[in-house]
Amino acid sequence: MPHNSLFLKKIAFSFFATMSPLTTQTQALESFLEKHQSLQQLIASNPNLNNHWKTFFTSLAKLGKNDIVDRVKEIGRFLKENGVTYNIYGDPQGNNRTWKLDLIPNLVDADEWRFSEAGLIQRANLFDLILKDIYGDRRLIKEGILPMEIIYNHPGFIRECCGIKLTGKHNLITYSADMARSENGKIWILNDRTQAPSGAGYALENRLAMARVVPELFLGMKVEKLSPHFGALHNALIAIAPQQKRNPRIVILTPGPGNETYFEHSFLSSHLGFTLVQGDDLMVKDNYVWLKTMGGLEQVDVILRRVDDAYCDPLELKEDSQLGIPGLLQAVRSGNVSIANPLGSSVVENPGLIPFLPAVSRFFLSQELLLPTIASWWCGQPKEKQYVLDNLSTLVVKRIYRDSMNRTSVDATIMSKERLANLKQKILANPHLYVGQEKVHFSSSPSLTEGILKPCNALFRSFVVSDNGTYTAMPGGLTRTSEDKNDIIISNQSGGYSKDTWVLSNNEQTPAGNKKEQDFLNRNSQWYKSDYLPSRTAENFFWVGRYAERVLGTARYLRTVMQYVDEANRSGITNNQPLIKCLVGSLMVYTHYYVGLDDKQYKKKLAAPWNLLNDVLLNEQQAGTLSFNFASFNRAVHSERDQWSTDTWRVLRETEDAWKNTKKLRKNSHYKLLNEIDRLITGLMAFISLNRESINREQGWILLDTGRKTEQMLLLITMLKAALVPINDEPIAYVMHEALLKSNENLVNYRYKYKAHLQMHLVLDLLVLDPNNPRSLLHQLERLQVYIKGLPKTTTGHKLSQQERCLLEAYTLLRLAEVDQLSQPDLTTKTHHNLDVFLGRMNDLIKGISEGLTKTYFKHAQKQQQLISRG
Amino acid sequence: MNYQIIHTTRYRYNQTVSLCHNIARILIRDTDNQHCHHSEVSFTPQPDIINEYEDFFGNKVIYFAIQHEHRELSVTVRSMVEKNTVATKVGNLFDNLPWEEARKIILQPGYKHTDARQFIPVTKATTPTPEIVTYALQSFTVGRPIIEAAHDLMTRIFTDFTFDNTFSTIATPLQEVMDAKKGVCQDFAHLAIACLRSVGLPARYVSGYLETVPPPDKQKLVGMDASHAWFEIYVPEHRWLPFDPTNNMIPAQQHITIGWGRDFTDVSPLKGVVFSSGKHDLKVSVDVRRVG
């Protein structure tokens, strides 16, 4: 083999010699190269690609040095704004890391692609046949082609799935393979993915980013389009719908926002028009699967799953799983729901099969494998085990299944003696779980990372989908790179860049023509449409609305209090202590900051107002603070990420980034802090108004606004309580009234309307009873009334629901209220007692509305519990 | 010999349950020496859905779901079973087959012992600790006949351990049982299986019943007045031999097999998922008596 690769390199150089020198056209790129490196060296490994690389680098050089640097930044910005992220489990930097994309794609020429494509399709067919056989007659085992241990001892072999008849010609709907080129240009398969292959969404997003940011680089390249693949996926899912339904309800089952590829789940959901669901959004009833929506249960026909099979049904599979749907397998057995890929398909994601694949291919297809497999030895056989043990330090060792605790592959060629001995022990203890594999040296691909043009190892994942009785492969895919030559196990879990993958066509006109990728994505108009939002989405909208207002309310009141305290400090008024205490005290009530403080601690806090104000501003660990509320808001927004428009995302990102910087500001720069609060308020207001126009479902906006109104009322009630219930001396009372109006943006309104000195009963009139003031309790309650009337009716007969009951009482209470009576001081309690009682009842009623809505429409309250009897 | 078996499981919930899914393995399968003539299951409340099928091991499964509000669930199965009067034969051909030889035969390439070989890998409930391996090797000494070694293991567990139904739960790890030398039939069966698998032999878990009301002249056997459990070892060719470490006896006439699996989780009599935020309590009763 080394001889061969040398030979190819020679061809490469002689080939170059006959071409015009690359350097004259690509001088602009020289500053990106490391010493002693040349472009030729970077691209020498595959002579078939030389011409393409020349075209590419010429286009790249034309951009000029500065523009290249700008475009790299632009790609980063584009991905960030589109919220392209992946999560790393246990990452101290938290979730939502931005995806990294290299400006230089991975190129695959037409001949190489034709060859790989045929090989991939053959392999998909083969795995489909193996899967059917394992869960059917098990002829491969009976006839001695596969040793039983490779299947039976693999945790992916789910006995509960045996004998289930599935709809459609194929059981395996999607298949993925990781491929790499060896130094002699040969394509090798490194991993097979058959359970819930991820990456196709990232591949498409990479393409959209490239097409947007560096369209010039596509010039003269005839790059195959990716989007038809998603049309094929859509058709494949329709094809497996039970009873050949023509317009089936398809959902994507995700483990949730904490999953590493959650971005992709929501990306696919919005591009394919499938509802994104988590386990507890679905339920099994009457042997069917149902989605919980605002309007009740809706039948689900097809599930595209991103949850590992063992986690999908806590009744029959992993009992403590919270990610699945109890009873799902019963619905599958009854033929009422189809899952892609079917439960149990992880058994063929199994390196133990590799040494036996050529024989399986001959058995089922009477064909040799088109794509060669890397020489592998399964240790469950005595001779093979001995070979692996004798040659361990030259091999890569793989376990036949993945688990979250350990790496599946280890490179024994770079192991210390100790680790080798350890590995040997493991193999000896459970030989049938291990496979030894020849180590192949892979060729590199030119990359531009961190400002340097250099060779990187590249792993290319391709995606195959069942298509009308055969399979088709996406012409392109997801390439990931690593600088470490030995790192054959490139994984995003350890960082690294991705690349767009360009499959180059020979045809004058690619089948996709000049259409843009986007044109394909939006063409399918016969999607299943539902009148109702899924319960989870509804609940998230509601909470996004509530948290948004909580952030705004806290920000405004905090700003007002900070301004007063600042002014009082600077104006040198000597006797300002009572006022400051009163203001800061009311802020503590408003933010519930006082909860858990004893008398001494409370007084201590009051004595150092700026420390307290900073804490209410920035302490993310303390419930009720601005930072805490903003973090809650962000979490709610991210868990419904496919609902926000691109513009909305940009606003969110900018606000988030600005807030991150605020945390770094010096605590005593009050002026700057106030500016940052202003920016946060502007950002949130922009978020809210953008949504009014861009949420594509009417119900979504209604719930978001219902959440807002509910929260605004609760906040206003708390603020009125904090500011007006205590009886204060006249000058302090005046400031409290002013602060109250100011933070509700009603000071100007008051002066215009009453043309009077600030008086309590007028303040109440404006903030509680004025139907024309959008900030008043009455106005907001009236909005809420309209919204709740518009929600789907769930009770039968004339009985009022909890929310209707609370609404009616609150409305009556408000309409009957009289400001004179409310502002009556009570001498025994030394408070405005009537107001206190009134606000207390209003608070309970508004909370009752929120509870009622939760019970009626959101319904995630009841937890699943496991029952088990020993006898 | 005919037996009538009445097996009742009852859950009481503190709060209303609106939906529950359950899997029951309480219908008795036929074996070489028993035939189930008749069985009848009654539920309260009546389930909305009942599916019956056979699992991978050939055990009979009932899935049922109650989709309306309830505070109590009870399942009663009445079975009539005939045990063959022919005593379980302990074959003589392989009586003296050393366990290492048996292992070699079982592991020979080919399809013949495939079904048995799936009972060699350990499961979560049958994972041996080093101490358990040592315990196993005291019975499985070099060259000892497999049946004799298994019999010895059964007797040692019976002698070394005390039956105590207050000590362990389903989740108790084997090592704790080993440390305390206490447990119930499930623990003893799991322990024996862990021992057998640790020396590379196939062993399976059997769920079943024990005669609870003995005839006047016989002593009552030890059990939980609930369902019982024991283990079986595989002896080439194609024979599974049962051993009951709780009673130190070879199950024959007084043991009725419901089904088998790799461990308890494959054949638990009743398991389920309920949607409720409250607690529950559980009562099981079993009555097995001779008739006719």
Side-chain angles (χ1 to χ4, degrees), chain A residues 486-704:
Chain A
N486 280 315
D487 192 3
I488 42 146
I489 317 124
I490 305 165
S491 146
N492 281 318
Q493 284 290 339
S494 51
Y497 270 82
S498 74
K499 279 171 175 291
D500 190 9
T501 306
W502 292 5
V503 169
L504 302 166
S505 162
N506 268 342
N507 302 332
E508 270 318 298
Q509 192 76 18
T510 64
N514 289 323
K515 278 190 184 171
K516 285 186 180 169
E517 298 278 8
Q518 289 286 9
D519 297 342
F520 290 92
L521 293 173
N522 301 328
R523 94 204 134 121
N524 209 323
S525 58
Q526 340 125 328
W527 287 336
Y528 181 96
K529 288 207 179 61
S530 163
D531 292 337
Y532 301 109
L533 281 182
S535 294
R536 176 187 304 278
T537 308
E539 185 170 13
N540 281 329
F541 271 126
F542 179 76
W543 279 100
V544 166
R546 285 198 65 169
Y547 284 131
E549 285 307 321
R550 203 172 288 181
V551 172
L552 283 169
T554 316
R556 287 194 179 117
Y557 199 49
L558 183 64
R559 177 176 64 183
T560 310
V561 173
M562 280 172 84
Q563 281 165 349
Y564 278 108
V565 174
D566 204 28
E567 271 169 33
N569 280 346
R570 279 185 288 147
S571 61
I573 304 168
T574 45
N575 193 18
N576 59 22
Q577 286 309 313
L579 172 63
I580 289 180
K581 275 187 185 164
C582 200
L583 277 166
V584 174
S586 69
L587 182 69
M588 281 208 262
V589 174
Y590 184 69
T591 55
H592 300 272
Y593 190 91
Y594 68 94
V595 176
L597 295 182
D598 62 31
D599 223 34
K600 207 172 142 195
Q601 288 167 320
Y602 183 80
K603 280 191 179 136
K604 209 172 146 195
K605 291 276 178 197
L606 272 188
W610 276 111
N611 285 347
L612 179 95
L613 290 173
N614 276 317
D615 216 30
V616 173
L617 189 64
L618 298 175
N619 185 353
E620 206 178 305
Q621 310 307 321
Q622 165 91 33
T625 67
L626 187 51
S627 281
F628 179 90
N629 290 341
F630 188 53
S632 309
F633 166 76
N634 273 324
R635 262 194 304 277
V637 167
H638 280 280
S639 55
E640 213 48 64
R641 49 166 313 134
D642 53 330
Q643 303 289 342
W644 320 114
S645 71
T646 316
D647 284 341
T648 312
W649 269 121
R650 188 174 48 253
V651 167
L652 281 167
R653 296 280 162 197
E654 284 171 6
T655 315
E656 243 173 281
D657 282 352
W659 191 249
K660 267 186 203 142
N661 290 328
T662 308
K663 289 191 204 157
K664 293 180 201 144
L665 280 181
R666 283 228 323 268
K667 285 185 176 173
N668 54 4
S669 49
H670 306 156
Y671 174 70
K672 281 187 189 157
L673 285 175
L674 284 169
N675 273 346
E676 291 306 321
I677 296 179
D678 286 348
R679 275 176 75 175
L680 182 64
I681 292 172
T682 314
L684 258 90
M685 289 308 292
F687 169 79
I688 290 167
S689 25
L690 277 167
N691 280 327
R692 190 187 295 259
E693 287 171 9
S694 66
I695 290 182
N696 51 9
R697 304 279 291 271
E698 178 71 17
Q699 238 167 32
W701 169 251
I702 288 181
L703 279 150
L704 193 147

Side-chain angles (χ1 to χ4, degrees), chain B residues 34-45:
Chain B
Q34 75 181 36
H35 173 63
C36 182
H37 284 289
H38 173 76
S39 56
E40 183 190 309
V41 188
S42 56
F43 303 87
T44 322

Side-chain angles (χ1 to χ4, degrees), chain A residues 700-716:
Chain A
W701 169 251
I702 288 181
L703 279 150
L704 193 147
D705 217 31
T706 303
R708 288 183 60 215
K709 296 288 172 258
T710 308
E711 186 70 22
Q712 279 177 339
M713 280 191 280
L714 289 170
L715 288 172
L716 182 55

Side-chain angles (χ1 to χ4, degrees), chain A residues 367-402:
Chain A
Q367 285 173 8
E368 291 303 319
L369 284 181
L370 297 174
L371 285 173
T373 43
I374 301 176
S376 309
W377 298 269
W378 177 58
C379 300
Q381 296 153 302
K383 262 194 219 156
E384 283 75 0
K385 177 173 78 181
Q386 206 47 51
Y387 179 86
V388 171
L389 293 174
D390 291 346
N391 297 281
L392 198 58
S393 64
T394 66
L395 300 173
V396 169
V397 174
K398 294 185 161 184
R399 230 177 5 174
I400 67 171
Y401 63 89
R402 286 193 288 167

Side-chain angles (χ1 to χ4, degrees), chain B residues 86-276:
Chain B
V86 200
T88 313
K89 271 191 221 152
V90 175
N92 39 38
L93 185 54
F94 289 95
D95 269 2
N96 294 317
L97 183 71
W99 64 273
E100 299 96 327
E101 278 303 306
R103 187 173 65 181
K104 210 181 267 170
I105 293 169
I106 294 163
L107 289 179
Q108 271 168 2
Y111 187 68
K112 211 168 177 182
H113 306 295
T114 287
D115 180 67
R117 260 150 63 180
Q118 69 174 315
F119 294 96
I120 301 175
V122 298
T123 59
K124 207 175 152 204
T126 59
T127 305
T129 60
E131 202 184 322
I132 292 172
V133 177
T134 313
Y135 191 81
L137 288 174
Q138 286 167 23
S139 290
F140 286 83
T141 51
V142 178
R144 195 171 192 184
I146 180 168
I147 295 171
E148 185 190 316
H151 199 288
D152 182 58
L153 178 68
M154 168 184 80
T155 305
R156 283 174 57 229
I157 293 175
F158 174 77
T159 323
D160 296 344
F161 289 72
T162 316
F163 184 90
D164 180 347
N165 60 12
T166 59
F167 172 69
S168 59
T169 70
I170 296 157
T172 308
L174 271 186
Q175 184 57 45
E176 276 180 39
V177 173
M178 196 70 196
D179 291 340
K181 298 283 186 290
K182 289 194 272 202
V184 293
C185 50
Q186 272 149 18
D187 302 315
F188 303 154
H190 279 157
L191 176 63
I193 292 166
C195 287
L196 288 156
R197 290 178 184 167
S198 79
V199 297
L201 291 172
R204 70 189 186 189
Y205 179 99
V206 184
S207 159
Y209 301 113
L210 203 56
E211 183 179 45
T212 55
V213 188
D217 56 326
K218 288 210 174 153
Q219 223 192 337
K220 188 173 166 32
L221 294 171
V222 181
M224 288 204 299
D225 285 333
S227 61
H228 191 54
W230 57 93
F231 71 93
E232 291 184 341
I233 65 161
Y234 181 74
V235 181
E237 313 272 321
H238 299 277
R239 289 183 317 138
W240 287 93
L241 300 181
F243 295 88
D244 179 357
T246 312
N247 291 293
N248 193 27
M249 68 187 288
I250 306 293
Q253 291 296 299
Q254 291 166 284
H255 287 67
I256 296 135
T257 300
I258 302 174
W260 54 73
R262 289 163 298 172
D263 64 21
F264 171 77
T265 49
D266 279 338
V267 275
S268 57
L270 185 63
K271 62 175 177 179
V273 174
V274 297
F275 288 87
S276 163

